[in-house]
Amino acid sequence: MNAVAALEVEIPALNANDARVQVTRWLADEGQHVAAGTALVTIETSKASIDVEAPSSGYLQRLVEEGAHVATGSIVARLHPRHEDYLRDARTDGRPATRPADRRAPATRAARELADAAGVDVDAIAVDGVVTRRHVEELIARRQECSNAMPAPDDSDPVAIAPRQLEFAQALEIAARRTVAGFVSSSVRAGPVVEFCRRYGAANRAAVVPTDVFLRSTAAALAAFPRLNAWRDGDTARIYRQVRIGLAIEVGGNVVAPALASPADLTIADIARWRLDASLRARRDPSLPATDATFSLTNLSDLGVELFVPNLVPRQAATLGVGRRSADDDPERARWVLGLAFDHSLVNGAEAARFLGTLTDLLERPSWA
Amino acid sequence: MSNAQSLTVAARLNRALQDLMADDDRVVVLGADIADPYGGAFKVTRGLSTAFGARVWSTPVSEAGMVGVAAGMALAGLRPIVEIMFADFLTLAFDGLFNHASKYPAMYGPGAECPVVVRTPAGAGRGYGPTHSQCPEKFFLGVPGLAVVAANRHLDPRKALATQLAGPGPTLWVEHKALYGAAATTTSMLSSEGWLCREFELGGLPAVAQSQVPIEDCDLVVVAYGETAHMLESIVTRLAIEDEVFCALVSPARLNPPDLEALWDLVRATGRVAFVEEGPEAWSWGAELAYRAGRECAAYLRAAPLSFASRSDAIPCNMWRESEVVLSPGTVAAGLRALARHNDRAVIGGH
């Protein structure tokens, strides 16, 4: 996201005699949004006190303390047009990120974005002047050449990788690099959900499966835990206004994840219909556009998987994986195993555990219409 | 000069004057209110009267008088440096420079050298109003026999002043007021800040080209002097980091007579050039150089040379209204960004 330049507030040279003035009193609070013309700070010269006014509107970032003596012409504050830039700058102590004397190697924004996406360390590139996007492209090309140049061992045969899978893996890699994931797990008696599906299906003449109940219950639980239905934008958490759960569906070697909007507002029968429809669509056209889901659900219980750690998806705070532990000697003892991976910058372990607890309760007592 | 580490431009000028006066008994300094304890309106001459006594003249408030006297002193063999308190007041000394000091060597031949240096603070940004904020050097650029030099952050004033005091004619030496408090620098300090620097000479005085990528890879050359060059440093940096528009910033000290061969080499290498100044637009330094660039580099230019300047209006006192008239960094940044993308002429010449 581009930073919009902040306006720097300078101490004016009020007369030819004073090289330094004293900052006596701030008249606006740190982080306060001020309008142009608002008095910001009182300064005192050898002759008089005057108020320095805001040259534009913006969020105030104060750079000096009351009582400080500063040289005329020095910058005592910044006015940020956008709050997110104020938050970012305030955290870095006001050092402007584009100053060449910064500790990091000077690199253009385009170079950093490409390096980030490709997993290249831009600070490791040594050039005269600034690192540009072209330098990063050249490094990537050189690395590609190196790996291409190595002869492949002749004990294996090539097979195409579905392009969506590679793309998705790349997106997951970026997400993994940028987030620290936590993982919590719990188990639920499988019986109640299985029994519910049977009864509900019969009563409503609908082919309802546990996945439909998982979608509905997860959405209901997310309503009580909005921070798990969120994403991280730099230093800010952004809570999605809608719940859209992406359901992982495997179609001919491809995994697609169509998103179901607001499952909590739908009946189980509606959800089942959507699921069937989404599977058919995916089968007909595996090149569906990337999902805009806010949360992800993968159910591998049918495949005999007991427990797995799902991957975090970019722009999602958490993702749920469902497995099943069967007990052949006593069907009543079969259990769903829920595994929740979550972004530790947005959600902590306790909150994740409480979410799972709520979800567990809902699945033990399914009563959806 | 390692001493430039913590010096302001004003302090470096002060030290240069001290050194010049100590090295050469012929150097004298004149001006209004320049003697101690006041030491000049911007403190550039502080300490000189204490150290050099009668060689420092605190004159009455008559610019015509002080420049006239200085011209006579120069004819008599002294090396006078005159301070005009605000460049806006140069007009009162115009005749002395235009019809006299600059023409003596041509009119009267050897023995009539007149190497007066007229130093003066110029420029806006302090809210000092219409008659204390101008950059009037452009009105002197066309005077035959009058050298015009602009101080900047990296110029070593001692060497440059010594060069100008060698004559044969007078020099108008402008110093932008906003530079006085700025940190003096050198190309090695600029390099340690991340700039790629190339030093060369334009008209016998140092010029520096600074850029974020090698000059041959730059999209355009932007030429500015004095404080405008300092202002452009942050614009050029931001354009490089945010937009990958790479400019080679050239800051000459010599404005007149224009000797620009080395500059045209850089313009031919990049194919685009812009001139930026704080003086009022039209009939300006940039307008003249844009014409010359078009003439010298025609086959290599990818776009018409551009000139950026202030609006041609009286400069208001009110700080916000002043910024509406005076050269706007935002306009310059947008203009340079647009210029960098301009490719409307086939490049016939090559290298």
Side-chain angles (χ1 to χ4, degrees), chain B residues 51-249:
Chain B
F52 300 101
R55 287 164 61 195
V56 177
W57 293 46
S58 211
T59 66
V61 180
S62 169
E63 286 73 24
M66 61 182 85
V67 168
V69 165
M73 287 172 154
L75 287 174
L78 295 176
R79 294 286 177 263
I81 302 177
V82 185
E83 177 176 302
I84 304 288
M85 195 185 289
F86 283 84
D88 313 65
F89 311 156
L90 279 169
T91 50
L92 297 153
F94 192 59
D95 185 68
L97 292 170
F98 182 60
N99 279 319
H100 297 273
S102 63
K103 290 182 166 58
Y104 290 155
M107 288 167 72
Y108 302 114
E113 289 82 27
C114 196
V116 178
V117 170
V118 176
R119 284 185 42 249
T120 184
R126 295 277 184 268
Y128 285 164
T131 58
H132 289 64
S133 306
Q134 296 171 93
C135 287
E137 58 272 11
K138 78 170 207 183
F139 299 107
F140 294 77
L141 288 171
V143 177
L146 176 66
V148 181
V149 175
N152 57 51
R153 275 214 310 151
H154 51 73
L155 178 72
D156 176 0
R158 191 185 158 305
K159 271 204 217 149
L161 282 168
T163 302
Q164 295 312 110
L165 284 172
T171 301
L172 172 61
W173 174 288
V174 284
E175 299 158 358
H176 196 293
K177 321 180 174 61
L179 276 177
Y180 287 147
T185 189
T186 60
T187 48
S188 56
M189 286 166 73
L190 287 172
S191 298
S192 67
E193 288 169 17
W195 292 99
L196 300 178
C197 293
R198 192 187 293 187
E199 289 182 80
F200 50 103
E201 280 197 347
L202 289 176
L205 288 181
V208 170
Q210 26 185 144
S211 56
Q212 267 85 17
V213 299
I215 291 183
E216 296 67 34
D217 298 334
C218 285
D219 301 301
L220 59 95
V221 175
V222 55
V223 191
Y225 60 85
E227 162 66 13
T228 310
H230 184 203
M231 173 193 92
L232 273 167
E233 280 184 18
S234 49
I235 292 178
V236 162
T237 303
R238 184 150 242 133
L239 283 172
I241 300 289
E242 294 297 324
D243 301 311
E244 290 218 339
V245 168
F246 299 112
C247 308
L249 170 61

Side-chain angles (χ1 to χ4, degrees), chain A residues 214-225 243 245 263-264 355 358 362 368:
Chain A
F214 296 144
L215 283 165
R216 182 73 150 82
S217 314
T218 305
L222 284 174
F225 291 86
V243 170
I245 303 187
F355 169 80
T358 302
L362 290 171
W368 307 121

Side-chain angles (χ1 to χ4, degrees), chain A residues 209-273:
Chain A
V209 297
T211 298
D212 305 322
V213 181
F214 296 144
L215 283 165
R216 182 73 150 82
S217 314
T218 305
L222 284 174
F225 291 86
R227 289 185 78 94
L228 274 89
N229 191 47
W231 63 291
R232 184 156 68 102
D233 178 16
D235 288 340
T236 322
R238 298 191 69 99
I239 313 276
Y240 286 110
R241 294 188 201 108
Q242 189 189 44
V243 170
R244 293 186 294 276
I245 303 187
L247 176 66
I249 299 177
E250 200 226 352
V251 176
N254 277 312
V255 174
V256 298
L260 174 60
S262 307
D265 297 339
L266 301 172
T267 65
I268 299 284
D270 288 335
I271 294 174
R273 256 191 299 277

